[in-house]
Amino acid sequence: MSGLYGVPDPASVASLAGKRVLVVGDVMLDAYLMGDAERISPEAPVPVVRVESERHLLGGAGNVARNIVALGGVATLAGTVGSDASAEKIRQLLDEEGIRSALVTLPQRPTTVKTRVMARRQQMLRLDQENSSDFSQQELDMILPVIASELGQHDVVILSDYSKGLVTSLFMTELHSLLRALPHPVHLLVDPKPSNVDLYSGAFIMTPNTKETGECAGLPVRNREEILAAGRTILARTGCPHLLTTLGADGMALFRSSDEVWHVPTMAQDVFDVTGAGDTVIGTLGLALAAGLDLLEACVLANYAAGLVVAQVGAAVASPDTLVEALGRLPAPHVSRWA
Ligand SMILES: Nc1ncnc2c1ncn2[C@@H]1O[C@H](COP(=O)(O)OP(=O)(O)OP(=O)(O)O)[C@@H](O)[C@H]1O
Ligand SMILES: [Mg+2]
């Protein structure tokens, strides 16, 4: 079975405007120190990079929020930062990007920062500042009330887990009890960390890439049959109703259930930089669900957005205009049933 299934109407893009998504997770700062390496240090056999410019970008859960805002949605970012200059930088970036801040300062741990030292285009070194130990009860008691107060205004929550200590069994138990207490149903979407797979039961959908799908299932994912088996294993293991495996150059596979699986080929024509495509997928999917799109339609729209993003260099995002234009210009994807 194949054909024009799930292809969204360009008008559905307009329906994304103003819809709200709560992004919860590990917030990071991506820093770039850029310059030239012209000599070897007299102190040690390493190159000396003379820094000429610096760049800062929102990383981790922050990049998911960026994608939502770029599409016209209202994104609120709930997470933690330290009490340091990098936290100030993150708050400034949220402001500039128009992302609502629900950040909590935890003075006991540093803001997570990944600093790349670049000489021309070449990455020389990455410096990670982080404390990824599990959050204490006291730390959870600081972030949970903030999430609780945001939940009332949201019916889609994206959990962006980079395993920096927030997402623990205790956190998930508390989150689920907050969700259960709400008068309205909430869709919880998870960008998973395979080592935490058993923490995600109760989620509406997870969005692992191919490698993560294999790791979550503990199975190989070399071909369609193996991906189907791995996806079904994850559904059975977590009890989640749906699963979206992103397949890189092969697009994505939506497990609506164990025996209803759809394949959506990529829309990308040129591929320059695949960084952050996963954030585009889950951000677009969440916003489209908040706008009431059908799950398959929402995935197809997310696949269009990812196709636009990989065609650009850097941490690109898709806009409503480019999405509408792509929906009008590109031939409809050949969405087919894998099972
Ligand atoms: N090489 C590629 N060619 C075409 N499309 C691509 C390519 N890589 C990614 N995409 C598009 O981006 C989507 C998400 O990509 P991918 O499966 O690589 O996610 P990811 O590994 O989670 O990405 P991230 O780097 O953000 O973690 C795919 O479903 C596809 O639509
Ligand atoms: Mg990813």
Side-chain angles (χ1 to χ4, degrees):
M1 202 159 111
S2 69
L4 302 182
Y5 300 104
V7 179
D9 193 284
S12 62
V13 176
S15 74
L16 306 180
K19 297 298 182 303
R20 307 171 66 90
V21 177
L22 177 61
V23 182
V24 177
D26 297 307
V27 180
M28 302 179 201
L29 185 64
D30 283 323
Y32 295 83
L33 301 178
M34 291 166 299
D36 241 327
E38 283 159 354
R39 60 191 186 100
I40 299 295
S41 169
E43 297 164 18
V46 294
V48 175
V49 177
R50 190 162 35 79
V51 177
E52 281 153 7
S53 63
E54 276 182 48
R55 227 182 136 201
H56 294 94
L57 296 170
L58 285 171
N63 194 45
V64 178
R66 275 183 75 228
N67 276 278
I68 293 164
V69 169
L71 287 170
V74 177
T76 302
L77 182 62
T80 68
V81 290
S83 174
D84 49 32
S86 299
E88 283 318 304
K89 198 80 216 170
I90 286 178
R91 291 182 194 281
Q92 184 192 331
L93 287 168
L94 292 182
D95 225 39
E96 286 169 16
E97 302 267 359
I99 297 166
R100 289 185 68 235
S101 170
L103 294 182
V104 168
T105 303
L106 296 181
Q108 307 91 331
R109 49 176 93 212
T111 303
T112 301
V113 186
K114 314 228 166 253
T115 305
R116 286 86 170 173
V117 178
M118 311 287 294
R120 303 263 169 112
R121 315 233 64 188
Q122 175 76 41
Q123 185 174 143
M124 311 291 286
L125 186 68
R126 195 178 92 182
L127 305 164
D128 286 3
Q129 288 155 287
E130 65 184 38
N131 171 354
S132 56
S133 60
D134 285 3
F135 277 33
S136 64
Q137 182 68 57
Q138 195 193 357
E139 289 173 308
L140 288 180
D141 288 345
M142 292 177 77
I143 181 70
L144 284 164
V146 175
I147 295 172
S149 75
E150 289 294 336
L151 284 177
Q153 308 155 60
H154 289 92
D155 41 35
V156 173
V157 176
I158 294 177
L159 183 64
S160 180
D161 183 10
Y162 283 87
S163 199
K164 301 298 176 204
L166 171 69
V167 180
T168 58
S169 161
L170 192 56
F171 173 80
M172 292 308 290
T173 305
E174 302 266 10
L175 180 64
H176 282 301
S177 75
L178 291 174
L179 291 173
R180 267 195 308 273
L182 292 170
H184 58 283
V186 170
H187 287 329
L188 177 64
L189 284 60
V190 181
D191 196 355
K193 197 79 188 171
S195 53
N196 283 345
V197 62
D198 292 317
L199 301 182
Y200 306 132
S201 58
F204 177 72
I205 195 166
M206 290 195 277
T207 63
N209 63 19
T210 313
K211 181 167 174 275
E212 291 158 350
T213 299
E215 289 168 5
C216 287
L219 290 170
V221 281
R222 291 166 299 200
N223 52 48
R224 169 171 156 172
E225 286 315 311
E226 289 183 351
I227 291 165
L228 280 171
R232 287 169 172 152
T233 300
I234 294 171
L235 290 177
R237 179 168 177 177
T238 58
C240 296
H242 315 294
L243 175 76
L244 179 66
T245 289
T246 61
L247 304 169
D250 294 324
M252 48 175 60
L254 168 65
F255 293 72
R256 236 188 212 287
S257 68
S258 272
D259 32 48
E260 184 185 341
V261 184
W262 296 88
H263 176 250
V264 186
T266 181
M267 303 307 294
Q269 294 170 314
D270 314 297
V271 178
F272 287 107
D273 188 349
V274 299
T275 320
D279 293 339
T280 303
V281 168
I282 197 165
T284 311
L285 176 62
L287 186 60
L289 291 174
L293 265 73
D294 158 76
L295 180 59
L296 178 58
E297 265 182 15
C299 290
V300 174
L301 195 67
N303 193 60
Y304 270 92
L308 290 171
V309 160
V310 298
Q312 299 171 61
V313 181
V317 287
S319 70
D321 288 352
T322 55
L323 208 44
V324 168
E325 192 270 336
L327 283 163
R329 173 177 48 93
L330 300 172
H334 201 75
V335 178
S336 62
R337 270 296 277 270
W338 268 9

